[in-house]
Amino acid sequence: MICVQASSAKVKIGVFKCGNVGTAPLFELLLDELAQRKDITVRTVTTGSKMSLEEVKDAFPKILEFAPDLLVIISPNPAVSGPAAAREIAVQNRINTVVMSDAVAKRMISDLEKQGVGYIVVLGDPLIGARREFLDPVEMALFNSNIMKVLAATGVFRLIHQEIDRVIAVLKENLAIRLPRLLIDTVTIRDKSDFLNPYAKAKAMAAYHIASKIPEINTKACFMEKDSEKFIPLVACAHEMAQLAANLAEQAREIEKYSDSVLRTPHSKKGEPLTKRKLMQSPEFDNSLYKEWLKSLQKK
Amino acid sequence: MICVQASSAKVKIGVFKCGNVGTAPLFELLLDELAQRKDITVRTVTTGSKMSLEEVKDAFPKILEFAPDLLVIISPNPAVSGPAAAREIAVQNRINTVVMSDAVAKRMISDLEKQGVGYIVVLGDPLIGARREFLDPVEMALFNSNIMKVLAATGVFRLIHQEIDRVIAVLKENLAIRLPRLLIDTVTIRDKSDFLNPYAKAKAMAAYHIASKIPEINTKACFMEKDSEKFIPLVACAHEMAQLAANLAEQAREIEKYSDSVLRTPHSKKGEPLTKRKLMQSPEFDNSLYKEWLKSLQKK
Amino acid sequence: MICVQASSAKVKIGVFKCGNVGTAPLFELLLDELAQRKDITVRTVTTGSKMSLEEVKDAFPKILEFAPDLLVIISPNPAVSGPAAAREIAVQNRINTVVMSDAVAKRMISDLEKQGVGYIVVLGDPLIGARREFLDPVEMALFNSNIMKVLAATGVFRLIHQEIDRVIAVLKENLAIRLPRLLIDTVTIRDKSDFLNPYAKAKAMAAYHIASKIPEINTKACFMEKDSEKFIPLVACAHEMAQLAANLAEQAREIEKYSDSVLRTPHSKKGEPLTKRKLMQSPEFDNSLYKEWLKSLQKK
Amino acid sequence: MICVQASSAKVKIGVFKCGNVGTAPLFELLLDELAQRKDITVRTVTTGSKMSLEEVKDAFPKILEFAPDLLVIISPNPAVSGPAAAREIAVQNRINTVVMSDAVAKRMISDLEKQGVGYIVVLGDPLIGARREFLDPVEMALFNSNIMKVLAATGVFRLIHQEIDRVIAVLKENLAIRLPRLLIDTVTIRDKSDFLNPYAKAKAMAAYHIASKIPEINTKACFMEKDSEKFIPLVACAHEMAQLAANLAEQAREIEKYSDSVLRTPHSKKGEPLTKRKLMQSPEFDNSLYKEWLKSLQKK
Amino acid sequence: MICVQASSAKVKIGVFKCGNVGTAPLFELLLDELAQRKDITVRTVTTGSKMSLEEVKDAFPKILEFAPDLLVIISPNPAVSGPAAAREIAVQNRINTVVMSDAVAKRMISDLEKQGVGYIVVLGDPLIGARREFLDPVEMALFNSNIMKVLAATGVFRLIHQEIDRVIAVLKENLAIRLPRLLIDTVTIRDKSDFLNPYAKAKAMAAYHIASKIPEINTKACFMEKDSEKFIPLVACAHEMAQLAANLAEQAREIEKYSDSVLRTPHSKKGEPLTKRKLMQSPEFDNSLYKEWLKSLQKK
Amino acid sequence: MICVQASSAKVKIGVFKCGNVGTAPLFELLLDELAQRKDITVRTVTTGSKMSLEEVKDAFPKILEFAPDLLVIISPNPAVSGPAAAREIAVQNRINTVVMSDAVAKRMISDLEKQGVGYIVVLGDPLIGARREFLDPVEMALFNSNIMKVLAATGVFRLIHQEIDRVIAVLKENLAIRLPRLLIDTVTIRDKSDFLNPYAKAKAMAAYHIASKIPEINTKACFMEKDSEKFIPLVACAHEMAQLAANLAEQAREIEKYSDSVLRTPHSKKGEPLTKRKLMQSPEFDNSLYKEWLKSLQKK
């Protein structure tokens, strides 16, 4: 049994969001779902849905002033000038930086690796149907609700928070960090999700795969078709796919409920990974996961 | 209460979030769903799920530095020391301030009015089932996804963004502001939502009413029951209610789809209110709504 | 309070219904679902949906002539003159009397206890949306169908029939009776229902809780709002809640089907409590329940 | 406009139930769903689930003492000695008598006509799966809930109450009665139900047809198979059919909700037939129906 | 372990289809779902939806030229001149012949037995709603899709392919053939299907029973009613029943997924019967089934 | 390319199937759904699921002997030796030939055009999950059922039969044929399907798009992954996508039912295109479609 010794100081997690992706709205809440964690301080600064260079330049310094031990930059397109500038500044300041983004960022991965920046690229976090004829605040919120359900129920949010939790643990142990290099596609759900029922897993994979195909439709609708007769049906189709994927992901979780085998991984007050399966059970320290975090470190 | 700058400049919307409620994760996105709005700048600072006085004191100044024309403070319990301090400072700085919160804030309304602070109190934005035996990051995210769906599909998010849009319009017109005084309960859905089909409205009301009854269960589970045998079934029950409410709210919207009468109210690039019903239609400037905003002002 | 005749004779159960609640239409059938029970005779007299003093005075003597060993008076509002008169007469005649009603009767409990009258108060048996603009015979029947499904699938009907069966068993054993004192709320479902799957139980609790919140809406709609524009959406909302609660309760039972663990508690020909879980199993005498019934008696 | 002149005295409706069918539990409530009808008095006497000659002989006089203008005898098998005796006595007493029953009564129709007794035979009101290994009070209640939903949503309950309302109207007009001769099969739903959407009607017909095929399975299960391995799957199958039929009937009604065309036919305080389609509309006197009732009479 | 020794030559399966039933479109694919079977050659000739004598006389010789070891004739009405002629010729040519048909063929069974022709009569394979006002190619395809789902998910397709596989095995062993004599009704599902969960079986039985009642409606609609006002609702009703039966059959299979107990019986490359339950398991040779096939043979 | 015989004679449609795709099992039935068409004779020869050169060489001559005016060759992979040989022979014999296939054939289109062969390539007709650990006859049938539902309900089957009907019409008019050149992707559903409700169309597009993404998963599972731990979840995922797509396509059609606007295009006895929308309406000759068929011809 390895005991988790919290360094007396809290680990400071800075989050900078410019523009929105499905992982953004709840990201910092994933790290401290019960608001009882003593080992971290979280601070987020965002520019809302905008991601221009001007906005970023104005807002980014606020998160630097927080002096984060780990900085997470979330943006739908990390390659454009705004988020790129933020990343640049962070690297210059030698801050441990992780970029979180969607499929668009896949082609940047080798650049990020060269920059020494970690990344979490979520292929099932799709481009929204951003056409004024279709997207209003309510439709935007519904889409985000659906994508959040997909990312939560398929286990993607767990992969994300555990990867960040791993880094936090390492920071607390005061060891050299290996930043996240995580590309989450349908095969990741197959290999890393926690479903006990294999059909629940198959449904979760299907939900995630459907979500990951939405950008095909929305890219065409948002950037290629000029005629509203052409693009409105496309964005509507894409959002129906999102709704369907959410329903299917929910069904996958329901199946695990039917055999009382829903995995739960809350954080302890100290920020340790806990785990449980049966609803009426108490969560327990997940020793094997914690060891794995350290072991992977020792490899380095 | 101070009046505001020339309409040529952008209206600056500051958002401060400490702790989470269902309206928080997407709030600033509701104001600029297409990221094309030229008339506003939005800046958000949050402390994650924490709302202690210490956290707030450290973080709140960052949003003040932004010098917002309108400040929205979002918190699950505006009465406790952290958010109360933020509000206090804002009032002292004569900033136009709106508190956004859930049912807990209902009893503070007259105090807020005395302070000259606006409020948006959403009774259907319920307390989460914050018990470590049940709530992990995934369950937290699912709950938020469900509540967002309820708030979006029942029209609550529209009420909220239009109320803020009204204030922005007034700021742009450089007139005296009447800050929001909005308490959203089941009857509000009846009187203010935009369903054409009366059964869709009835289902939306039912969804919202169910959501608004979740705190009864979760308050008992989180603060009164000590034995996990007692509180686990309660929090599980509460989250099933949330899931059900989300499904019902989605069904309400589906009914409007079936008669092609879903209301959409996107923002124009200038931030004007647009409106449309038929999917293949183009949105048009909502003149009557805009006039109503001004008229209500002239009354004052 | 009088004790009862030899176990050779049948126990006579009299039922008097004036007005309707969700437990009323099937009550006597719950006691003898297979029509094969040799130990009881059941007689019911009702005034239909009316509960005026005049109607009750005319009809009630018919059930007295039956000389019941146990009298169950079912009414939506036991406090008004009609049912109150019936109860009064029953008490004067020293008949073992149980009042069965809905949430309205909650405030009468101490009075009933003083009168020496037993009670079964079902909080999840809600007021119907009694507005002529909405309620016709079909809508009334659908509402009752939905509430019956909630009361059946959540286990409330089992609680009720077992409580009456307990009294019958005691009457057959010729011992002193402890009349039912049963208030069934959401917590009762948690503590007394028979689900093996904890998520099935959580869904059943949610269904029952939703049903128990219908009166909030219908009371407003039936007694407070005067304008049909106001009250029609409310009663429609309330009945959507009932339909939803029924669907959710059905789903709770389906989950138990999925693991072949639906509890069944038929009556033997002798009226004994039987029990079984697996569908293909034969029911067996529920010795522990029967003992508990007697033991609780010996305590007294 | 024909005015409805209530005779000063109320029409007395007696109901005698021995044994249960799907139309029984709610029958008298269908006649006065709002409990506000001034033109009728209803009195019901039942023997619970039993229908033996002994029980009937004891209980039936109580309803005779009520001196009903119209007597409705409800029983699952009007041919057996108990209900047959009741009918015999009613005929001897020259009481206007209607037998209400299920498919079993189909073969008795010509006998009933010879006796001068009216009938309402509901083919979609099926035999329950009365096997102790399967049927307990909860399963019985669920089955009844499902059948009620089928009978309500497909319009059968409307056919029944309007037929009785017709007789009441005639009694009030003090004219010669033509007693009901109503056999309700799938074709009746096609020709007499009130769906505006033809697919809703097709689904309602399907629901009713499925319900009407349940007795094939349950007759085999209850009376022909001796081995529990054989009959348990049959009764379980039959009750799944009932649940499915209920869900489909509900869907049929939902379709009418989606176009806001649900027919509602409440009773006025005077007992007149009212009618409406749009939810927010007020019900109006159904003149054409009332005329039809009288005209059919004048033919006679 | 009995080894399956494939005779060096392949068994030749000829299929002749004239007109369509639900088992027809996929029949030959059921025998070789992976297209890897080395022990059989399959050849099919069809006349499309026509079944006239003329068409059959022209087309049938083509399948005779194939010189099948086993001939399967599929037709919705084997008694009419076309398929009857085909059967006659096959018998004259002493070909092992099996007739596959729907309920219409039930009355021909003794004739088929006299002719020495095997049969597979599927009562749940219903007459389509063949009215031009309703049935177009799309509706026809949907109906077939639904019936296929019923026949697949309830296990009927398994009963069929295993019966043919049995004959193939016998042909390969070069022994005397006992041709299929299979009448598949609801009781067959009860006794021969492979569900582990008894409620899944009950739902499958219900689905199949509903499918088997469709011809009652469609026979009336297609052959008895002349007026489109009468027959359109009937065919629409019948197809709703088919859709519902398909949904229910799917649900039955879903339940088996929930406990990871879906039976799978693929063919090996040699055409042997394999079997498995758990999804992640490998299929194994089904020795007991194979023995049973031989044993039944030795009886003969 | 040869022109065709007098319109007095029937047009002969030959169909050759080797291997299976989703359009294959019902193809010839789409042309004559009521089996009453006087203007065509259809003959199909298939090799079952096999598509080897040997099988094709043996079977293909049978369809040539039929001397078809139009030959449709259906195969999952027209490029491999078997179907390629069939096509070659057809071309050599100067037969009007159309290849029908799935996405695999997309890359062959220019070759087919050079050969003078028509094509119908259906991108939403996906590769099955052909792994013995997963695919048995029942799973194969369910997959086909689901794909058929997608192709029927989204309107793809209509596009196909109308394209063939167009060629038949031209053959009957004795004019030069323009063979089909039809590639059906998601955009085709947008532009060519017949939904009146735009959300129904969006759902149909989503269903079809999901179906068209199944091959990504199944190609990986069937041809790239070697380990059953890897490929079983993939094929299971792919089939869940198929089931989901079927459910969604069904929902799209349901929406059209709700507004009674389901398009139906039956064939008249003469084979003419008929059309109708309202269920209770009679179908009428679709003059505009027929003219369009001719006009397109005159262009040529």
Side-chain angles (χ1 to χ4, degrees), chain A residues 78-137:
Chain A
V80 298
S81 59
R87 196 169 61 249
E88 202 69 35
I89 299 167
V91 169
Q92 286 164 1
N93 285 273
R94 310 192 60 153
I95 300 171
N96 294 307
T97 302
V98 179
V99 164
M100 192 172 302
S101 190
D102 61 21
V104 170
K106 196 180 171 183
R107 52 178 178 255
M108 293 178 58
I109 285 180
S110 64
D111 289 347
L112 294 172
E113 292 185 353
K114 280 178 208 155
Q115 262 188 318
V117 170
Y119 55 87
I120 297 177
V121 174
V122 184
L123 297 192
D125 183 356
L127 180 65
I128 202 167
R131 282 293 196 173
R132 185 166 282 107
E133 286 78 1
F134 179 69
L135 197 79
D136 72 344

Side-chain angles (χ1 to χ4, degrees), chain D:
Chain D
M1 180 67 64
I2 300 155
C3 283
V4 186
Q5 291 174 289
S7 66
S8 59
K10 293 182 179 186
V11 176
K12 294 164 79 175
I13 315 293
V15 184
F16 184 74
K17 306 175 187 172
C18 50
N20 189 49
V21 290
T23 52
L26 299 178
F27 171 70
E28 60 269 30
L29 302 171
L30 295 175
L31 301 179
D32 193 9
E33 73 281 2
L34 287 153
Q36 296 181 345
R37 210 168 153 175
K38 304 294 185 201
D39 63 330
I40 59 170
T41 305
V42 172
R43 200 71 78 248
T44 300
V45 171
T46 96
T47 58
S49 52
K50 299 282 176 53
M51 53 192 292
S52 70
L53 184 57
E54 186 192 356
E55 294 263 4
V56 170
K57 283 206 164 161
D58 179 70
F60 190 65
K62 302 295 178 202
I63 199 68
L64 288 186
E65 290 166 14
F66 174 62
D69 299 313
L70 177 67
L71 175 66
V72 180
I73 300 177
I74 311 180
S75 169
N77 192 346
V80 297
S81 59
R87 195 169 62 249
E88 202 71 33
I89 297 166
V91 170
Q92 285 164 2
N93 284 273
R94 311 193 58 154
I95 299 170
N96 293 308
T97 302
V98 178
V99 164
M100 191 172 303
S101 189
D102 61 21
V104 171
K106 196 179 173 184
R107 52 178 178 256
M108 291 179 58
I109 284 180
S110 65
D111 289 347
L112 293 171
E113 292 185 353
K114 279 178 207 157
Q115 263 189 318
V117 169
Y119 55 86
I120 297 175
V121 174
V122 184
L123 296 193
D125 183 356
L127 179 65
I128 202 168
R131 283 293 196 173
R132 185 166 283 108
E133 286 79 2
F134 179 68
L135 197 78
D136 71 343
V138 169
E139 186 72 45
M140 180 278 300
L142 288 169
F143 184 80
N144 273 282
S145 164
N146 285 325
I147 298 306
M148 278 174 210
K149 186 161 279 182
V150 172
L151 298 179
T154 60
V156 170
F157 277 159
R158 175 167 297 128
L159 291 174
I160 291 173
H161 84 74
Q162 287 187 339
E163 191 64 13
I164 302 294
D165 284 339
R166 182 187 60 76
V167 176
I168 293 169
V170 169
L171 285 166
K172 284 159 66 179
E173 299 280 349
N174 220 351
L175 300 168
I177 297 174
R178 192 170 41 80
L179 288 169
R181 293 184 172 189
L182 197 54
L183 176 77
I184 302 175
D185 62 9
T186 306
V187 160
T188 315
I189 309 300
R190 181 189 68 189
D191 297 339
K192 298 283 179 64
S193 66
D194 295 287
F195 294 95
L196 283 194
N197 181 292
Y199 293 98
K201 184 159 86 173
K203 285 177 200 282
M205 289 167 66
Y208 191 76
H209 198 66
I210 291 168
S212 75
K213 293 304 160 186
I214 291 172
E216 284 184 8
I217 302 291
N218 272 342
T219 303
K220 191 180 188 74
C222 295
F223 305 125
M224 295 160 70
E225 298 281 13
K226 298 299 168 203
D227 177 6
S228 72
E229 293 290 314
K230 300 284 187 193
F231 64 67
I232 293 177
L234 289 171
V235 288
C237 162
H239 283 222
E240 292 294 337
M241 288 171 71
Q243 181 172 305
L244 198 72
N247 294 161
L248 186 60
E250 186 173 297
Q251 193 197 341
R253 189 172 175 91
E254 287 292 307
I255 294 176
E256 295 282 332
K257 288 184 187 172
Y258 285 14
S259 51
D260 191 16
S261 60
V262 175
L263 181 73
R264 296 177 189 276
T265 58
H267 295 94
S268 77
K269 288 191 182 180
K270 293 182 189 167
E272 299 151 330
L274 306 181
T275 188
K276 59 172 287 193
R277 282 272 180 194
K278 296 206 154 291
L279 180 60
M280 299 308 296
Q281 232 175 12
S282 285
E284 294 180 359
F285 176 58
D286 188 344
N287 195 27
S288 65
L289 178 65
Y290 199 78
K291 271 190 185 160
E292 192 189 305
W293 289 351
L294 293 190
K295 186 168 56 183
S296 69
L297 220 155
Q298 284 153 354
K299 277 181 194 162
K300 196 184 176 188

